[in-house]
C-alpha cells in the first residue's frame, strides 16, 4: 500500500502537503520556521490527530535548531506552549509535545548540539512509530470487517490524517488487500468537507470504490441495508471509551446503533488519553463561524445570524462496538481493556535506545 506524503522531514525542513487545496491542487509546502508550522496546524494545512502530532514534533525539532544556547531550555518550553495552543482536541498533539519536552528535561546535562540531534531523532521516531501503528491496527481491524459490503466513514482518517496509511482508511485498505470485497460511503463532513475532499481523493488514488454522501444521508442508506459497518478515527478517546471525533460522528453512531450496524473506532494508542476519565472532560474546539456561514467565500447565512461551529463531538462508549489499536482490539468494559492495550506502547523501543546512549563523562554499559 502506498503512503501519502502528508508530513515529512527533508534536509532539516518540514514538508507538508497543503490539504486546504485538495482535491484540486497537490501543493507541497516547505517550512523553515516553527511559527509557520504552528500556523499550518491552526489553518488545517495539516490536520488529523496523528499527523498533527508528527508535524508538531518535527516543528519542535526545527525550532530547536535556532534557539540560543544560553536560554535553550526556557525558550524550548515557550515553543512547546505555542505548539500546544494550536488546537485543543487531538491528544496526539500534547502526547508528541510531551515526548519532546521530556527528552529536553531528561538530558539537561548534555550539550545543546546533542539535544538538537536527539530531538530530530525523536521526531523521526514518532513518525516511524505512527507508520507502524497504522499498519498494525489496520490488520487487527481488517479481520473485523465483513467479507463483502459497504463501510461508512466520517471525516478523513486516512494517510492524510496520519504519518502512515491511515487508521479508519487503513483498516478498509487492509481488509480489501486481504481479499474482502468492500466499497466505501464517505460522509461529506460539513463544514470543512474532509470526507468529500480528502477521503474521496485518497480512496480514488487507491482505486477503492467510494460514494460521497452528504452527512444527512447516512440514516437513509442504513435504513435500506446498504451499510454493513462504520469505521471512524478519533482525536481523543477517554479512559472510559468515550470517543471524540469530527463533529457528526455521534449522530452516525446513534444511527448505527438504531440499525444494529457495528460501529468501530480505529485509534492508535497515541490518541487514547488515560488521564482523561470521560468524554465530558475532552476540550472541544470551536472554530471560526465563517466555516459554516460561508461557502467558497460567499455568505450562505443572513448577516447578523448566530452560527455555532464545534469541530468535534463525543460518542459515548456504549455506542462503540470496539476500539482498534496497534496493540489489539479493545471491547467494553473499556476502562479495563484500554488500560491493557495502552500500557505496552509507553515503553517505545526508540526511546529506550536514545535513553541508553552514554552521557558526557559516562562510559557505555
Ligand atoms: O479537524 P480535523 O480535520 O483535524 O479532524 C480530523 C478528525 O476528526 C479525524 O477523524 C481524526 O483526527 C482521526 S485521524 C486518524
Amino acid at each position: 500500500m502506498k503512503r501519502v506524503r502528508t508530513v515529512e522531514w527533508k534536509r532539516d525542513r518540514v514538508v507538508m502537503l497543503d490539504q486546504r487545496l485538495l482535491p484540486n491542487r497537490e501543493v507541497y509546502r516547505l517550512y523553515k520556521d516553527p511559527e509557520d508550522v504552528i500556523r499550518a496546524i491552526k489553518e488545517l494545512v495539516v490536520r488529523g490527530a496523528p499527523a498533527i502530532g508528527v508535524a508538531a514534533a518535527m516543528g519542535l525539532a526545527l525550532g530547536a535548531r535556532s534557539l540560543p544556547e544560553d536560554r535553550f531550555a526556557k525558550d524550548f518550553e515557550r515553543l512547546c506552549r505555542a505548539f500546544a495552543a494550536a488546537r485543543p482536541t487531538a491528544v496526539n498533539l500534547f502526547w508528541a509535545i510531551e515526548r519532546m519536552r521530556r527528552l529536553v528535561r531528561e538530558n539537561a546535562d548534555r550539550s545543546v548540539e546533542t539535544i538538537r540531534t536527539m530531538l530530530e531523532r525523536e521526531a523521526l521516531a514518532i513518525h516511524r512509530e505512527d507508520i507502524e501503528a497504522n499498519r498494525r491496527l489496520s490488520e487487527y481491524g481488517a479481520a473485523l470487517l465483513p467479507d463483502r459490503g459497504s463501510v461508512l466513514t466520517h471525516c478523513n482518517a486516512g494517510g492524510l490524517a496520519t504519518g502512515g496509511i491511515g487508521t479508519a482508511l487503513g483498516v478498509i485498505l487492509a481488509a480489501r488487500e486481504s481479499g474482502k470485497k468492500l466499497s466505501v460511503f464517505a460522509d461529506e463532513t460539513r463544514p470543512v468537507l474532509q470526507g468529500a475532499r480528502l477521503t474521496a481523493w485518497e480512496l480514488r488514488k487507491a482505486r477503492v470504490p467510494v460514494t460521497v454522501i452528504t452527512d444527512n444521508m447516512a440514516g437513509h442508506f442504513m435504513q435500506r441495508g446498504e451499510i454493513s459497518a462504520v469505521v471512524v478515527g478519533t482525536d481523543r478517546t477517554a479512559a472510559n471509551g468515550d470517543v471524540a471525533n469530527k463533529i457528526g460522528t455521534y449522530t452516525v453512531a446513534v444511527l448505527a446503533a438504531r440499525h444494529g450496524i457495528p460501529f468501530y473506532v480505529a485509534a492508535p494508542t497515541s490518541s487514547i488519553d488515560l488521564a482523561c476519565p470521560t468524554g465530558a472532560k475532552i476540550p472541544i474546539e470551536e472554530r471560526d463561524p465563517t466555516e459554516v456561514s460561508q461557502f467558497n467565500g460567499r455568505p450562505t447565512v443572513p448577516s447578523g445570524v448566530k452560527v455555532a461551529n464545534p469541530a468535534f463531538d463525543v460518542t459515548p462508549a456504549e455506542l462503540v462496538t470496539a476500539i482498534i489499536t496497534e496493540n489489539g482490539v479493545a471491547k467494553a468494559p473499556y476502562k479495563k481493556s484500554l488500560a491493557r492495550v495502552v500500557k505496552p506502547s509507553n515503553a517505545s523501543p526508540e526511546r529506550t535506545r536514545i535513553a541508553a546512549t552514554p552521557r558526557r563523562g559516562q562510559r557505555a554499559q
Side-chain angles (χ1 to χ4, degrees):
M1 268 173 286
K2 226 172 135 209
R3 196 161 54 80
V4 188
R5 305 257 156 212
T6 302
V7 47
E8 300 279 329
W9 179 263
K10 243 186 208 155
R11 284 190 219 105
D12 306 333
R13 302 277 182 265
V14 182
V15 181
M16 294 193 281
L17 174 57
D18 189 340
Q19 300 191 31
R20 299 168 304 179
L21 306 178
L22 290 173
N24 301 318
R25 286 168 61 209
E26 231 173 283
V27 175
Y28 291 84
R29 299 198 188 279
L30 193 73
Y31 293 87
K32 302 182 199 157
D33 183 337
E35 299 298 332
D36 292 336
V37 178
I38 294 172
R39 198 166 314 116
I41 294 172
K42 284 184 182 160
E43 293 176 359
L44 309 183
V45 170
V46 62
R47 32 67 49 200
I52 293 172
V54 173
M58 289 183 181
L60 284 168
L62 187 70
R65 298 172 69 82
S66 50
L67 296 180
E69 297 210 2
D70 54 338
R71 296 197 317 257
F72 184 82
K74 225 176 174 179
D75 284 5
F76 188 78
E77 181 51 35
R78 197 169 305 138
L79 196 56
C80 285
R81 291 213 194 109
F83 270 96
R87 294 191 74 187
T89 306
V91 72
N92 304 62
L93 174 65
F94 308 97
W95 171 87
I97 293 169
E98 195 44 40
R99 271 181 68 160
M100 302 294 273
R101 175 187 272 147
R102 207 185 317 145
L103 194 141
V104 170
R105 254 192 231 135
E106 287 173 0
N107 292 283
D109 57 340
R110 294 180 197 252
S111 73
V112 166
E113 212 34 57
T114 303
I115 296 174
R116 287 186 179 127
T117 309
M118 291 171 84
L119 285 168
E120 188 181 317
R121 282 169 59 186
E122 186 75 346
L124 294 176
I126 288 172
H127 191 198
R128 263 198 311 277
E129 288 168 31
D130 189 49
I131 294 172
E132 181 58 13
N134 285 191
R135 193 190 62 73
R136 282 171 45 192
L137 75 81
S138 296
E139 269 159 31
Y140 280 119
L144 299 174
L145 295 185
D147 288 341
R148 54 182 66 248
S150 273
V151 178
L152 177 85
T153 191
H154 190 76
C155 192
N156 171 266
L160 288 169
T162 66
I165 56 164
T167 59
L169 293 195
V171 167
I172 296 166
L173 292 174
R176 279 179 52 92
E177 208 149 79
S178 75
K180 296 189 174 183
K181 308 247 176 304
L182 296 172
S183 55
V184 177
F185 276 102
D187 276 347
E188 172 188 50
T189 317
R190 279 278 290 153
V192 180
L193 307 181
Q194 288 94 332
R197 296 188 303 106
L198 310 178
T199 296
W201 181 81
E202 275 193 51
L203 292 177
R204 200 181 126 109
K205 265 192 180 245
R207 298 180 194 281
V208 176
V210 54
T211 305
V212 173
I213 58 175
T214 62
D215 301 333
N216 49 357
M217 293 176 188
H220 169 74
F221 285 104
M222 287 184 184
Q223 196 176 45
R224 287 166 55 139
E226 294 193 34
I227 292 168
S228 348
V230 177
V231 189
V232 296
T234 176
D235 289 83
R236 187 186 305 226
T237 289
N240 72 341
D242 289 350
V243 171
N245 191 48
K246 178 55 55 195
I247 190 77
T249 303
Y250 170 50
T251 317
V252 174
V254 171
L255 283 168
R258 168 74 174 84
H259 294 92
I261 296 168
F263 180 91
Y264 299 115
V265 176
T269 54
S270 54
S271 300
I272 298 171
D273 186 359
L274 293 184
C276 183
T278 72
K281 298 271 181 217
I282 299 176
I284 300 295
E285 178 180 9
E286 185 72 32
R287 290 189 64 84
D288 190 328
T290 59
E291 286 181 353
V292 173
S293 63
Q294 295 183 3
F295 200 82
N296 273 343
R298 290 182 173 221
T300 54
V301 176
S303 79
V305 171
K306 210 167 125 194
V307 166
N309 189 16
F312 302 96
D313 61 23
V314 175
T315 298
E318 67 192 78
L319 297 177
V320 177
T321 310
I323 299 176
I324 307 157
T325 79
E326 72 274 26
N327 296 328
V329 176
K331 290 203 171 159
Y334 288 109
K335 212 167 165 214
K336 249 185 166 172
S337 60
L338 287 181
R340 206 177 50 237
V341 291
V342 169
K343 285 277 145 58
S345 67
N346 287 343
S348 126
E350 300 284 350
R351 279 197 64 75
T352 318
R353 205 151 49 75
I354 287 170
T357 55
R359 287 159 196 268
R360 267 184 298 179
Q362 191 187 41
R363 277 199 289 154
Q365 303 287 309

